[in-house]
C-alpha cells in the first residue's frame, strides 16, 4: 500500500502524518510518559455568564486541538437551558501562571435526523445526557457521548440508551460506535445505571483506538462504591476506532467514597469521570468522589493505569465471583495536595500544548451543574516525564 509522509509542526509539537491511499491522514505519535504533575494555576469562569446567547457552565469534558491551539469543551446541559452543545475556547498559560479563559464559539450537536435534542421536560423519551468529547485529528471530527437516562417512575419507563457518537465539527451526525449489549439500560436491575455510563473518552496517541470508561459498575458487576466500600469494579472499553467496534474490556477497581455524607443517608458516589490514553495499554484515570454535606464534599485523584496483564473481560457477563485480573493503578496526584482553595466537581482532563521548557501541559475542568453554590474551574499542570 502506497503511503505519503509529511512532517507537520504545530504549537511547538512536531509529529509525522501519513496519508492512506484514500487520502485520509493518521497521526503517528509515541506513547506518553508521565511521572508526576506540578500545579501551575487556576482560572474560574464566573457563574451565570453567557456566550452568544447560551448559558456557560456544565463543563463536563475538555480536549485540546493542537493544530490551532483551541480547546473543545462539552456542556452537559441536556437542552434544559439551550440545545445540547459544545464550546471552543482559548486558554492562556505558561509554566509559571494561568492567566485566562476566552470562549470563541458554540456549536449545537444534532440528532441523526438533523434536528436538535429535546429537553427532558419536552420529551423525556428522546432526551439525552451529554457528557464526553474528544477531537480526532485524523478525521477532523469529534467523538462525543451520552450517559443515558433511566427513570422507572414513568409508564412506560424512560430507558434512553447511552451512546458514543462521531460528528462533524458543525455538530452534524456521522456514525455511532457499537454499544456492547451488556451496557444497555434496562427496566430490571441489569446493565448500565442511570447517569453511570460513558463519562470518560480518549483516543490513543497513534489514533488507532478509543477508550471509553463506565463511570460506575454495571448492575451485574456489583454494588457501587460507598463509604468504606472499595474495589467496586467498573469497566473500561477499548474500541477499534476505524471499525467503531469494541475489541476489549478491562476491570478497574474504584476507591471508596472519601467521606460519609451528612446525614449518613444522603447521596454519595465515586466513579471514573475521565480517561486520557498514554498508549494502547496505559491511561490516566480521574476518579471523582462526592458526598452531600461532607467537608470537603469533593475529592479528586488521578491514577496512572496499566492494562498490560489485565484480563479482557468482554466474555464475562458478571464480575461478581469471577476470576479476573483488574488493571493496575498508581496514584499520580491527589488534587487536594495542590493547595488550591477549593476542589469542585472536576470531570474533564486533556493534555495541552508543550510549555516553554518542553514539557507537556495538562488541563482539568469542573462541571458546576449550573448551580450557584459550585464553580466552573480550570486547573493547569506541568507534566513531568
Amino acid at each position: 500500500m502506497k503511503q505519503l509522509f509529511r512532517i507537520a509542526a504545530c504549537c511547538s509539537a512536531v509529529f509525522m502524518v501519513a496519508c492512506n491511499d484514500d487520502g485520509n491522514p493518521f497521526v503517528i505519535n509515541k506513547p506518553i510518559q508521565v511521572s508526576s504533575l506540578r500545579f501551575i494555576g487556576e482560572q474560574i469562569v464566573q457563574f451565570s455568564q453567557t456566550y452568544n446567547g447560551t448559558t456557560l457552565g456544565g463543563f463536563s469534558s475538555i480536549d485540546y486541538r493542537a493544530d490551532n491551539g483551541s480547546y473543545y469543551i462539552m456542556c452537559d446541559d441536556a437542552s434544559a437551558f439551550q440545545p445540547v452543545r459544545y464550546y471552543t475556547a482559548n486558554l492562556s498559560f505558561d509554566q509559571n501562571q494561568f492567566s485566562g479563559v476566552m470562549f470563541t464559539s458554540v456549536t449545537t450537536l444534532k440528532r441523526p435526523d438533523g434536528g436538535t435534542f429535546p429537553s427532558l421536560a419536552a420529551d423525556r423519551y428522546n432526551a439525552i445526557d451529554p457528557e464526553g468529547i474528544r477531537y480526532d485529528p485524523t478525521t477532523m471530527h469529534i467523538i462525543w457521548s451520552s450517559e443515558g437516562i433511566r427513570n422507572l417512575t414513568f409508564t412506560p419507563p424512560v430507558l434512553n440508551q447511552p451512546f458514543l457518537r462521531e460528528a462533524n465539527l458543525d455538530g452534524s451526525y456521522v456514525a455511532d460506535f457499537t454499544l456492547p449489549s451488556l451496557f444497555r439500560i434496562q427496566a430490571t436491575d441489569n446493565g448500565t445505571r442511570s447517569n453511570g455510563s460513558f463519562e470518560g473518552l480518549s483516543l490513543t496517541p497513534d489514533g488507532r483506538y478509543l477508550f471509553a470508561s463506565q463511570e460506575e459498575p454495571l448492575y451485574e458487576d456489583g454494588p457501587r462504591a460507598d463509604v468504606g466500600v472499595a474495589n467496586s469494579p467498573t469497566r473500561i472499553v477499548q474500541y477499534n476506532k476505524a471499525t467503531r467496534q469494541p475489541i476489549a474490556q478491562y476491570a478497574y477497581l474504584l476507591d471508596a467514597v472519601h467521606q460519609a455524607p451528612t446525614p449518613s443517608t444522603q447521596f454519595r458516589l465515586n466513579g471514573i469521570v475521565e480517561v486520557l490514553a498514554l498508549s494502547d495499554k496505559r491511561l490516566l484515570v480521574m476518579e471523582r468522589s462526592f458526598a452531600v454535606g461532607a467537608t470537603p464534599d469533593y475529592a479528586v485523584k488521578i491514577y496512572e493505569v496499566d492494562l498490560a496483564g489485565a484480563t479482557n473481560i468482554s466474555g464475562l457477563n458478571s464480575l461478581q465471583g469471577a476470576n479476573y485480573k483488574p488493571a493496575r493503578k498508581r496514584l499520580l496526584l491527589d488534587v487536594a495536595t495542590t493547595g488550591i482553595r477549593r476542589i469542585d466537581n472536576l470531570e474533564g482532563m486533556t493534555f495541552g500544548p508543550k510549555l516553554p521548557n518542553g514539557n507537556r501541559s495538562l488541563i482539568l475542568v469542573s462541571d458546576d451543574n449550573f448551580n450557584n453554590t459550585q464553580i466552573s474551574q480550570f486547573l493547569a499542570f506541568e507534566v513531568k516525564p
Side-chain angles (χ1 to χ4, degrees):
M1 179 180 293
K2 183 179 179 182
Q3 296 180 332
L4 301 176
F5 293 87
R6 61 184 173 88
I7 299 294
C10 57
C11 298
S12 302
V14 178
F15 55 88
M16 183 173 287
V17 176
C19 293
N20 291 321
D21 289 345
D22 60 5
N24 290 325
F26 59 90
V27 175
I28 301 173
N29 214 332
K30 295 180 180 179
I32 298 168
Q33 301 298 322
V34 181
S35 65
S36 63
L37 299 171
R38 181 186 67 84
F39 181 56
I40 296 172
E42 175 187 34
Q43 283 288 307
I44 295 174
V45 175
Q46 295 302 313
F47 182 75
S48 78
Q49 283 196 51
T50 61
Y51 174 80
N52 200 19
T54 67
T55 307
L56 292 174
F59 302 141
S60 59
S61 187
I62 186 170
D63 202 30
Y64 177 63
R65 177 174 173 174
D67 66 344
N68 64 14
S70 66
Y71 293 81
Y72 293 86
I73 302 172
M74 177 62 81
C75 174
D76 72 357
D77 174 16
S79 296
F81 296 97
Q82 293 89 33
V84 173
R85 61 199 180 276
Y86 75 88
Y87 293 94
T88 60
N90 293 329
L91 276 56
S92 300
F93 61 91
D94 58 26
Q95 63 199 46
N96 299 312
Q97 63 179 349
F98 189 0
S99 57
V101 176
M102 182 177 69
F103 291 89
T104 57
S105 70
V106 59
T107 301
T108 300
L109 289 159
K110 303 296 182 60
R111 300 185 304 186
D113 65 5
T116 57
F117 292 95
S119 67
L120 275 167
D123 182 357
R124 67 177 67 97
Y125 297 103
N126 288 294
I128 65 167
D129 183 11
E131 192 61 45
I133 192 168
R134 290 296 176 191
Y135 172 71
D136 182 357
T138 65
T139 60
M140 297 184 69
H141 292 164
I142 59 166
I143 299 170
W144 65 288
S145 66
S146 170
E147 288 194 273
I149 302 171
R150 180 181 190 262
N151 190 326
L152 307 185
T153 63
F154 296 99
T155 302
V158 177
L159 305 173
N160 299 352
Q161 298 304 322
F163 62 70
L164 292 175
R165 185 160 289 176
E166 186 173 343
N168 293 303
L169 294 182
D170 65 2
S172 59
Y173 173 84
V174 173
D176 277 325
F177 286 70
T178 297
L179 180 72
S181 59
L182 187 64
F183 289 50
R184 289 185 59 81
I185 289 176
Q186 301 185 47
T188 55
D189 285 347
N190 299 96
T192 289
R193 288 175 160 90
S194 186
N195 193 236
S197 188
F198 292 138
E199 179 118 3
L201 305 178
S202 186
L203 291 162
T204 55
D206 62 10
R208 296 176 61 194
Y209 303 107
L210 173 74
F211 285 103
S213 59
Q214 290 282 107
E215 181 179 7
E216 295 195 89
L218 301 173
Y219 281 104
E220 287 88 345
D221 289 341
R224 310 165 80 179
D226 207 338
V227 180
V229 178
N231 297 327
S232 295
T234 191
R235 299 193 184 213
I236 297 173
V237 185
Q238 185 177 10
Y239 279 86
N240 179 316
K241 194 200 71 177
T243 64
R244 305 187 185 91
Q245 297 296 319
I247 59 173
Q249 296 177 29
Y250 302 97
Y252 177 93
L253 303 184
L254 295 164
D255 292 353
V257 173
H258 70 293
Q259 284 193 32
T262 303
S264 61
T265 55
Q266 285 294 310
F267 180 75
R268 66 274 191 192
L269 85 162
N270 184 43
I272 298 177
V273 290
E274 189 61 283
V275 294
L276 194 55
L278 306 177
S279 72
D280 62 351
K281 290 297 182 183
R282 294 187 305 116
L283 308 168
L284 297 187
V285 170
M286 185 159 67
E287 292 189 42
R288 185 243 17 239
S289 176
F290 171 73
V292 172
T295 305
D297 46 2
Y298 288 101
V300 178
K301 295 179 179 180
I302 299 174
Y303 288 92
E304 182 182 22
V305 174
D306 191 351
L307 303 178
T311 304
N312 180 355
I313 58 171
S314 297
L316 296 178
N317 290 332
S318 173
L319 297 182
Q320 297 188 77
N323 183 22
Y324 65 91
K325 289 184 178 180
R328 292 177 295 170
K329 54 193 276 193
R330 173 184 73 90
L331 181 62
L332 187 65
L333 177 73
D334 181 342
V335 178
T337 65
T338 61
I340 62 172
R341 179 180 59 86
R342 173 180 180 178
I343 299 170
D344 210 86
N345 184 30
L346 292 166
E347 292 194 346
M349 176 169 61
T350 184
F351 289 116
K354 286 190 175 181
L355 298 167
N357 64 5
N359 288 342
R360 292 178 183 271
S361 58
L362 181 83
I363 301 295
L364 308 183
V365 70
S366 73
D367 173 3
D368 70 352
N369 293 306
F370 299 97
N371 185 329
N372 63 7
T373 67
Q374 295 185 244
I375 56 174
S376 295
Q377 67 183 161
F378 291 76
L379 305 179
F381 295 83
E382 176 187 356
V383 176
K384 300 285 191 175

